[in-house]
Amino acid sequence: MKIYTKTGDKGTTALFGGTRVPKHHLRIESYGTVDELNSYIGLIKDKNTEESLNKTLLKIQSDLFILGAMLATPPEKETLKSGKERLNIHKITDTSIQFLEDNIDLMNESLPQMTHFILPGGHEIVSFCHIARCVCRRAERLSVALNEEEAVNNTVLMYLNRLSDYLFVLARKLSKDLKVEEIKWIPEKL
């Protein structure tokens, strides 16, 4: 498989199914931001030593590749003329979302109740979780904007929403595991 194709040198790229669009197209921005998010999750995984968490993060990375492929496929190209699905891989489903919710609930069981907003920071891996959460929120915003122009599978939007919640709770869990005090935001009074 060649890395360079020489087809994108004029500022366009091909979506799954062959449609060419400008590299600044909202669909490209959406799945490009998911790719950026996937890289940050890889960084979190590399900084972590807990094997079970790394397996969860690896599954999330795989799900993000699927999600990116779903975003890279315009609705009119989802099926071939024969009626067969063009994207012949598992899709993000309610089960994928339930996986995130189950992990959020499991982590939350051992965390103290939140009484304040929490500022990002306290430890490098916690900060990476917050950066990934922010990138995830951006991917969600871009995907929602894309959905206003072209249909996006609703499970993609739901998955990104839950994943940002997961990353927030993961930051809290890692703070607790590392015995790092959460930085509470306490506004100054006027």
Side-chain angles (χ1 to χ4, degrees):
M1 184 170 139
K2 264 191 156 179
I3 297 298
Y4 58 91
T5 61
K6 299 184 181 183
T7 60
D9 293 345
K10 293 185 177 147
T12 65
T13 193
L15 297 172
F16 195 69
T19 304
R20 292 202 72 78
V21 296
K23 289 188 176 185
H24 61 79
H25 190 279
L26 196 48
R27 189 169 287 283
I28 306 302
E29 287 289 335
S30 296
Y31 74 74
T33 304
V34 168
D35 189 35
E36 180 184 353
L37 170 60
N38 205 335
S39 297
Y40 275 109
I41 290 176
L43 182 60
I44 295 166
K45 187 168 51 77
D46 289 346
K47 294 286 183 182
N48 179 59
T49 57
E50 186 184 320
E51 188 176 335
S52 66
L53 175 56
N54 284 345
K55 285 181 181 177
T56 299
L57 293 173
L58 189 61
K59 180 186 178 344
I60 290 169
Q61 285 189 288
S62 178
D63 285 350
L64 287 174
F65 250 83
I66 294 166
L67 192 141
M70 290 172 72
L71 284 169
T73 308
E76 69 276 5
K77 298 288 186 171
E78 286 180 359
T79 56
L80 298 168
K81 288 179 183 174
S82 64
K84 185 178 177 191
E85 273 195 46
R86 183 181 299 273
L87 194 59
N88 191 22
I89 59 174
H90 290 285
K91 304 286 189 317
I92 296 298
T93 65
D94 291 342
T95 304
S96 312
I97 296 163
Q98 189 63 54
F99 174 79
L100 292 175
E101 291 174 352
D102 291 346
N103 276 278
I104 291 169
D105 292 343
L106 186 65
M107 289 187 290
N108 256 335
E109 287 176 5
S110 66
L111 295 175
Q113 185 174 0
M114 278 183 49
T115 57
H116 294 82
F117 287 108
I118 297 170
L119 297 174
H123 190 279
E124 185 178 45
I125 193 170
V126 172
S127 295
F128 287 138
C129 288
H130 284 289
I131 292 170
R133 175 184 57 79
C134 292
V135 173
C136 188
R137 287 284 190 211
R138 179 165 25 100
E140 180 185 13
R141 288 190 305 272
L142 288 166
S143 298
V144 166
L146 175 63
N147 189 48
E148 290 179 4
E149 293 181 10
E150 306 174 28
V152 172
N153 187 314
N154 193 48
T155 56
V156 167
L157 304 176
M158 291 172 61
Y159 186 90
L160 289 170
N161 185 273
R162 277 333 161 278
L163 181 55
S164 64
D165 294 337
Y166 169 87
L167 291 165
F168 177 77
V169 175
L170 178 59
R172 294 196 70 216
K173 177 200 179 296
L174 291 172
S175 290
K176 180 178 182 266
D177 292 352
L178 294 164
K179 298 176 179 26
V180 175
E181 188 173 339
E182 290 180 324
I183 305 166
K184 294 176 181 159
W185 179 64
I186 301 169
E188 294 179 25
K189 296 189 181 198
L190 296 176

